[in-house]
Amino acid sequence: MTTKLEARGELLTALRLSRGFTQVELAAEVGISQAALSKVESGEARLEVQAWRKVAEALMVPLSAFRDVRSTTAPARIFHRKQRTTPKSAVNKVAAELSLVRLRVRDLMGDRTTTLRRHDLEGGFNTPQEIARDVRDELGLGREPLGDLVAILEDAGVLVLRWSLDTIQVDAIASWQDDSVPVILVGEHVPADRQRFTMAHELGHAVMHEGAAEKEQEAEADAFAAEFLAPASEIEKEWPRGADLDALLLLKRRWGISLAALIRRGKDVGRLTDQEYRQWNIHLSTTGMHRREPDPTERENPTALTTAIRKFLDEGASIEDLASSAHMYPREFQLTFLEETPS
Ligand SMILES: [Zn+2]
């Protein structure tokens, strides 16, 4: 059981990291020792209201942000591609933002539940492809091409947000806390053509994996994503004889995957030889199509959270109330959750 003090400490830690402060830096701002701050963060000590005021000021949140804090209780499993070049502090910052998102939207999204369940790879006994087909079945998606993937995930209870992730050089980051719904943050920098694959990849991590992703898990999540978006059985059936670019673009549009991913799929299902696959890749890169694909996929945008917020506003809640329940000032709340991000 976590106490109120611990819950407050948890929020404080997440806010501090998300603002990019070390304990030493924040302690200096507040005028207390790092040891004292550390104890507050771990829930072992209290602070005077005066000190809380300084903390809130430094972290740019209202003092009321620390009034009603419920603990997150269950540990979160967080998945992201490990990049050797990304500083640990940047990763910690985004991980903190992710836990903050969960805290912030808990009241807004109410008792949201997910229809997704965990699947066990059982040391390779189940393949990622099998699990992808199982998840399709659980969500009632059959083997058909998938429409708006963001909408499908949101219907399944997943919280999807577009987020600035270029600092950690990953396309997306997902987390799933045991007593909650999966959260996927998709990088604002990710082109629409890659976004669906990226989200399917994160879904794969969420249903199959236990924690931070190593090389092997990355390959598994990619295999999951490919099969989830474009089941091998269907691509094999639909692959045009002597496929030319136009025929492939038709398939690209139908299945909503990039040309690059489609060609990879053609090789996976045995419709392209290794040599043909290489030739296609050379063709895509010499024509610049690997950077800018023809028939770009339309960007899919999350709507569940903004819809929930607008409903509260329609029912008479104020932005101030909602922002306060999200431990934020109204301006940041609006910028974070209500303003459309340009695509
Ligand atoms: Zn990954």
Side-chain angles (χ1 to χ4, degrees):
M1 199 52 207
T2 30
T3 66
K4 208 173 154 184
L5 273 186
E6 284 170 4
R8 191 172 287 168
E10 249 171 58
L11 173 68
L12 173 55
T13 307
L15 276 171
R16 173 177 63 73
L17 290 171
S18 81
R19 302 302 196 204
F21 281 106
T22 63
Q23 276 188 343
V24 172
E25 287 164 349
L26 182 61
E29 290 273 328
V30 178
I32 58 175
S33 71
Q34 181 262 332
L37 178 62
S38 170
K39 280 192 176 154
V40 175
E41 288 193 10
S42 57
E44 296 163 59
R46 297 166 184 277
L47 275 185
E48 297 297 321
V49 119
Q50 227 14 56
W52 274 116
R53 215 181 293 280
K54 286 184 187 158
V55 168
E57 211 168 282
L59 298 176
M60 296 173 289
V61 293
L63 182 60
S64 63
F66 296 103
R67 198 177 300 138
D68 296 309
V69 189
R70 283 186 292 150
S71 172
T72 52
T73 62
R77 301 170 309 137
I78 295 182
F79 315 98
H80 60 86
R81 193 182 292 263
K82 279 191 185 144
Q83 299 280 15
R84 230 178 276 274
T85 51
T86 307
K88 185 99 178 80
S89 58
V91 174
N92 287 343
K93 182 172 181 293
V94 172
E97 285 172 1
L98 189 54
S99 27
L100 276 178
V101 164
R102 282 200 318 265
L103 271 175
R104 286 181 163 146
V105 302
R106 193 165 40 187
D107 289 342
L108 297 170
M109 300 306 277
D111 296 326
R112 193 173 172 82
T113 54
T114 179
T115 44
L116 288 168
R117 61 178 194 84
R118 301 252 159 76
H119 291 256
D120 197 349
L121 283 158
E122 289 169 14
F125 192 71
N126 294 318
T127 66
Q129 288 86 347
E130 284 166 340
I131 294 175
R133 291 191 291 272
D134 287 346
V135 173
R136 263 182 168 264
D137 291 339
E138 285 161 22
L139 299 180
L141 300 170
R143 296 292 176 269
E144 300 293 307
L146 305 180
D148 188 328
L149 182 59
V150 172
I152 289 171
L153 292 176
E154 289 189 330
D155 284 348
V158 180
L159 188 65
V160 184
L161 292 168
R162 298 193 68 212
W163 209 259
S164 165
L165 293 179
D166 37 4
T167 50
I168 56 168
Q169 301 163 48
V170 299
D171 282 355
I173 180 166
S175 105
W176 193 353
Q177 195 174 15
D178 283 329
D179 59 356
S180 179
V181 299
V183 179
I184 297 180
L185 304 182
V186 183
E188 282 168 349
H189 65 286
V190 175
D193 259 325
R194 212 165 64 214
Q195 185 177 294
R196 282 167 61 91
F197 196 91
T198 297
M199 284 187 301
H201 173 105
E202 295 303 319
L203 175 64
H205 278 315
V207 298
M208 295 189 297
H209 295 142
E210 284 304 324
E214 304 287 347
K215 225 174 172 170
E216 190 187 340
Q217 282 84 38
E218 288 307 321
E220 288 166 352
D222 279 344
F224 173 99
E227 180 71 8
F228 187 76
L229 287 174
S233 59
E234 309 310 300
I235 296 302
E236 197 184 352
K237 262 187 270 174
E238 295 186 13
W239 195 267
R241 192 178 287 272
D244 59 8
L245 184 60
D246 285 341
L248 291 188
L249 286 177
L250 270 177
L251 269 191
K252 164 186 166 147
R253 280 196 299 271
R254 178 167 153 77
W255 290 92
I257 61 176
S258 68
L259 209 47
L262 180 64
I263 289 161
R264 178 62 207 261
R265 213 68 194 118
K267 177 172 118 81
D268 291 344
V269 305
R271 291 299 181 145
L272 288 179
T273 64
D274 286 354
Q275 198 195 353
E276 287 167 327
Y277 173 66
R278 266 198 308 276
Q279 281 166 349
W280 268 111
N281 271 319
I282 292 168
H283 183 60
L284 291 197
S285 78
T286 51
T287 52
M289 277 192 278
H290 70 306
R291 289 190 162 276
R292 247 189 122 80
E293 291 209 354
D295 286 355
T297 311
E298 224 170 285
R299 160 103 45 218
E300 298 172 351
N301 289 306
T303 57
L305 187 58
T306 39
T307 305
I309 292 171
R310 292 202 191 287
K311 189 161 168 273
F312 275 115
L313 293 175
D314 288 346
E315 288 167 355
S318 68
I319 288 275
E320 285 72 19
D321 295 340
L322 298 180
S324 160
S325 82
H327 316 293
M328 302 162 105
Y329 278 121
R331 182 70 192 134
E332 186 181 15
F333 180 81
Q334 247 166 325
L335 279 172
T336 309
F337 295 125
L338 282 175
E339 286 184 15
E340 302 293 314
T341 31
S343 50

